[in-house]
Amino acid sequence: MAELTTANSLASYGYEVLLTSTLQEASHLLRTNGRISVLVVDTDLGHAGAGLSLAKDARMSDPDLKVIYTSRMPFRLADAEKVDGAPCLRTPYRPHQLAGVINQLVRRVATEAEAYAA
């Protein structure tokens, strides 16, 4: 239910949101939908490490994919387990907080691209 509320809130900010209920669905969607630019992974769901593995596999397939982790205990996520540059948002969070993190990632990438073009 919280996922649907978050998805609806992100949609109100103008984001197109795709939800999956299993890691297999998420993996398939990441492989077949070339328009996904941000992956939000709840590391508290599923078996230990499944979300972390999904993010690593997805980033290997698409090095430009932005990843955001969510966790009740983000301090337990070792940096070595996460993909580079991926922030972790502590749960529970409010949808506007997630939208803010997404905006920061997108803005940071746009700023870096402008710096390379100059």
Side-chain angles (χ1 to χ4, degrees), residues 12 22 63 73 91 112:
S12 75
T22 67
M73 295 181 277
T91 58
E112 290 171 358

Side-chain angles (χ1 to χ4, degrees), residues 15-92:
Y15 295 107
E16 181 181 346
V17 180
L18 305 171
L19 292 174
T20 63
S21 58
T22 67
L23 287 169
Q24 291 79 14
E25 287 177 10
S27 182
H28 175 75
L29 193 60
L30 286 162
R31 283 191 316 272
T32 60
N33 187 323
R35 297 180 5 187
I36 297 173
S37 57
V38 178
L39 171 65
V40 180
V41 177
D42 186 341
T43 61
D44 297 328
L45 297 177
H47 66 76
L52 296 168
S53 293
L54 174 69
K56 283 185 178 183
D57 292 345
R59 180 62 77 76
M60 283 195 314
S61 296
D62 180 0
D64 295 326
L65 180 72
K66 282 55 152 193
V67 175
I68 300 171
Y69 296 103
T70 65
S71 176
R72 288 186 313 266
M73 295 181 277
F75 56 87
R76 287 196 169 173
L77 296 176
D79 286 339
E81 296 176 350
K82 299 187 303 183
V83 298
D84 289 338
C88 187
L89 186 61
R90 183 175 181 177
T91 58

